[in-house]
Amino acid sequence: MNYTLDFTPVIEGMPNLLTACLGTFVLAICGMLLATVIGIGGVVLRTSKIKALRWLVIGFVEIIRNTPFLVQIFFIYFALPLAGLRLDPTPTAIIALGINGGAYAIEIIRGGVQSISKGQVEAGLALGLHKAQVFRLIVLKPALRAIFPSLTSQFVLLTLTTSIASAISAYELTSVSQRIESDSFRSFEVYFTVTAFYLVISWLMMRLFAFFSARYFAYPVK
Amino acid sequence: MSDISTTKASAETMISMTGVAKWYGAFQALNDINVSVRKGEKIVLCGPSGSGKSTLIRCINHLEAYQQGEIRVGGILLGHQAKSIDAVRREVGMVFQQFNLFPHLTVLQNCMLAPMRALGLGKAEAEGRARQLLERVKIAEQAEKYPAQLSGGQQQRVAIARALCMRPQVMLFDEPTSALDPEMVKEVLDTMIDLAREGMTMICVTHEMGFARQVADRVIFMASGAIVEEAPPVEFFSNPKHERTRKFLGEILGH
Ligand SMILES: Nc1ncnc2c1ncn2[C@@H]1O[C@H](COP(=O)(O)OP(=O)(O)OP(=O)(O)O)[C@@H](O)[C@H]1O
Ligand SMILES: [Mg+2]
């Protein structure tokens, strides 16, 4: 073992790596937003009066949760053009991340909604609010609060999953570091640095969620 | 006695239930319910657990659907279409055993939500109403607090104010003091007594027989999903006609 560490290619590639971190953030944040929309929308459809819609959601969740993300992202990348929609790798990756994260978010948020007592809904209805208003104004926030820790871990996972988007060469940290590595053959140095970056990114995400939670869910409960 | 109560309440009927029946699956929870409540009248509904008291009052604002008979509230026929349900719920306030305040909203916001969203009131008007009614239930100084920061008795008074913010013609109470520590029962009952004095039409499911004696125009006793007996409180307590009523009163009054 007389391997000499040489971080020169990493240092030279630092501006690239840092902007790639930004790319990872963009994928993660956009993916999460889409996943949240799919998650909340899915929960609404999941409780719809129309049976076909409920089954659509159940089917969607089962398919996504029982297939690998790498296959999903390839599928979307190659299937969309067949449907006439040609998208760049980065938007494709965002859609894939949103769909994948959304399927998990549906199940998590559904648990939160189920944890809200029926009395809350009844109080809203008795006050003359409609079902949709009751969900939006009364149920949603306490439900999200109840499952926010789970949602946070799921979304940190989503953040790390962005690295798989390198398979379709979306602009993010892993694909950029792969390029530096294959140009320099400094594999250890590159992946050591990238590992550290991912740790920092995860930590920042958790801080972001903690900040959001402290803001948005600040009300006291017994 | 009955002469007095018929003359003092106006002839206008506020709630009428005619031949109402309800099933949960194969189980019949309400059986041929006939009740007529005049404007301003106060009814206390009592009976053993599982007799259908909650089911009955929850049919009045359609939290439960009924399958047979007819319910009218303030002249509106309560059907199963959204339109008639909305119209009835606008006239009927409800107070629950578990308060059911919205934990993520302050006391004031709890009171403003429905007037703004269901009645379309502006913010200033809704706030004015809310503060006025919080004053009336003597809790105005807690307006900016969250429900979890209040005692049970305070929460229930907020729940009453919240319902009143919709200016309902009728108030339904489902065991409003049953979840309270004994020392808080009085503050809630006093609030209800004030409301009764102001002429509100009220149906109260409660086992607070002191309240029934003081406030009720009529006491209705239910058992097994049917109305067994109804009478003005003096008569009801001193001279119950049915064996089941006597047994129930014996248990509840502790002799
Ligand atoms: N959602 C439901 N599904 C099935 N059965 C129900 C349901 N709600 C109530 N019941 C049944 O209907 C009957 C009447 O219930 P209800 O809650 O009206 O009684 P209650 O007189 O209010 O009793 P309590 O004093 O315990 O509150 C009971 O036998 C109860 O088990
Ligand atoms: Mg009950």
Side-chain angles (χ1 to χ4, degrees):
Chain A
M1 272 293 282
N2 49 7
Y3 184 84
T4 10
L5 288 175
D6 179 6
F7 276 94
T8 319
V10 171
I11 292 163
E12 280 170 354
M14 197 48 86
N16 273 341
L17 286 173
L18 287 176
T19 36
C21 285
L22 225 61
T24 292
F25 260 106
V26 169
L27 285 189
I29 299 284
C30 295
M32 282 172 201
L33 289 176
L34 184 57
T36 306
V37 171
I38 292 175
I40 293 171
V43 168
V44 172
L45 295 184
R46 183 76 165 71
T47 52
S48 154
K49 279 198 205 100
I50 303 160
K51 208 172 170 183
L53 284 178
R54 294 203 303 269
W55 279 104
L56 194 74
V57 177
I58 294 171
F60 168 74
V61 169
E62 288 306 312
I63 290 168
I64 297 299
R65 294 207 308 174
N66 293 293
T67 52
F69 181 65
L70 185 60
V71 173
Q72 291 166 12
I73 199 169
F74 278 143
F75 183 84
I76 293 169
Y77 193 50
F78 296 112
L80 286 183
L82 294 181
L85 193 62
R86 202 163 288 280
L87 287 178
D88 287 342
T90 298
T92 305
I94 289 171
I95 292 172
L97 287 162
I99 287 177
N100 182 270
Y104 289 93
I106 288 173
E107 289 304 284
I108 293 172
I109 296 171
R110 196 163 72 93
V113 169
Q114 283 170 343
S115 78
I116 304 303
S117 78
K118 253 183 85 193
Q120 291 284 306
V121 175
E122 288 173 351
L125 293 176
L127 283 165
L129 298 171
H130 292 143
K131 253 184 82 179
Q133 290 177 311
V134 169
F135 180 78
R136 195 160 49 85
L137 303 169
I138 296 170
V139 173
L140 190 55
K141 192 169 180 172
L144 288 177
R145 175 181 168 134
I147 49 81
F148 205 67
S150 317
L151 202 62
T152 301
S153 7
Q154 190 63 47
F155 281 175
V156 169
L157 198 63
L158 184 150
T159 306
L160 300 179
T161 307
T162 56
S163 74
I164 297 180
S166 62
I168 59 165
S169 5
Y171 185 71
E172 48 73 56
L173 185 54
T174 303
S175 59
V176 169
S177 54
Q178 274 170 349
R179 232 170 297 144
I180 296 176
E181 186 240 12
S182 60
D183 290 347
S184 67
F185 302 105
R186 285 287 157 188
S187 312
F188 173 78
E189 290 83 342
V190 169
Y191 287 116
F192 178 84
T193 311
V194 168
T195 302
F197 278 9
Y198 273 117
L199 270 174
V200 173
I201 290 172
S202 293
W203 180 80
L204 282 175
M205 277 297 172
M206 284 191 281
R207 296 299 312 155
L208 188 70
F209 276 88
F211 176 78
F212 179 82
S213 169
R215 277 284 157 115
Y216 187 65
F217 301 127
Y219 61 92
V221 286
K222 282 256 165 69
Chain B
M1 199 68 214
S2 57
D3 287 341
I4 295 167
S5 63
T6 40
T7 46
K8 83 175 172 195
S10 75
E12 195 182 327
T13 302
M14 186 57 85
I15 301 172
S16 74
M17 302 177 83
T18 325
V20 171
K22 171 171 182 68
W23 285 262
Y24 289 110
F27 174 76
Q28 185 165 11
L30 293 179
N31 179 7
D32 190 26
I33 300 292
N34 294 287
V35 179
S36 174
V37 182
R38 290 179 303 271
K39 189 171 163 58
E41 213 179 359
K42 289 102 187 91
I43 306 288
V44 161
L45 189 57
C46 62
S49 179
S51 56
K53 309 177 295 292
S54 297
T55 306
L56 189 154
I57 65 167
R58 289 158 60 86
C59 280
I60 295 172
N61 62 355
H62 209 277
L63 285 183
E64 301 288 354
Y66 62 102
Q67 281 98 32
Q68 252 178 38
E70 189 183 285
I71 299 180
R72 278 175 190 278
V73 180
I76 307 159
L77 175 63
L78 176 63
H80 302 304
Q81 327 79 359
K83 215 173 152 202
S84 72
I85 296 173
D86 283 351
V88 164
R89 284 182 181 161
R90 209 156 294 156
E91 304 301 334
V92 178
M94 187 173 226
V95 174
F96 301 83
Q97 184 175 352
Q98 298 298 339
F99 331 135
N100 295 339
L101 294 181
F102 308 133
H104 59 300
L105 302 178
T106 64
V107 164
L108 188 65
Q109 289 166 339
N110 261 277
C111 294
M112 290 166 63
L113 183 71
M116 288 174 72
R117 303 292 182 148
L119 299 182
L121 254 53
K123 197 169 174 216
E125 194 182 355
E127 182 172 339
R129 241 190 223 197
R131 290 203 187 273
Q132 184 196 339
L133 283 159
L134 288 170
E135 189 78 49
R136 188 157 140 200
V137 301
K138 302 181 181 68
I139 203 155
E141 69 289 353
Q142 315 279 5
E144 320 302 330
K145 285 196 181 166
Y146 285 91
Q149 296 167 315
L150 304 183
S151 72
Q154 291 173 322
Q155 288 190 54
Q156 195 61 298
R157 284 184 286 142
V158 171
I160 293 171
R162 178 176 73 176
L164 292 175
C165 281
M166 293 293 286
R167 304 241 167 105
Q169 300 215 53
V170 177
M171 285 286 283
L172 307 174
F173 294 84
D174 194 355
E175 305 205 32
T177 57
S178 300
L180 296 174
D181 293 337
E183 71 272 19
M184 294 171 187
V185 170
K186 188 175 177 299
E187 63 187 74
V188 171
L189 289 180
D190 285 347
T191 307
M192 292 169 63
I193 291 168
D194 284 345
L195 193 60
R197 287 216 182 95
E198 287 159 22
M200 179 63 77
T201 310
M202 294 161 67
I203 302 186
C204 313
V205 175
T206 180
H207 292 159
E208 294 290 338
M209 292 304 147
F211 174 81
R213 280 202 172 90
Q214 191 178 346
V215 172
D217 296 304
R218 265 187 294 157
V219 180
I220 297 181
F221 174 72
M222 284 183 78
S224 312
I227 292 176
V228 173
E229 178 160 358
E230 57 176 287
V234 173
E235 195 181 321
F236 181 83
F237 291 112
S238 61
N239 189 18
K241 291 191 181 55
H242 287 76
E243 179 51 36
R244 290 190 83 163
T245 318
R246 280 194 287 272
K247 186 160 167 285
F248 173 77
L249 284 175
E251 280 162 13
I252 202 157
L253 300 172
H255 39 71

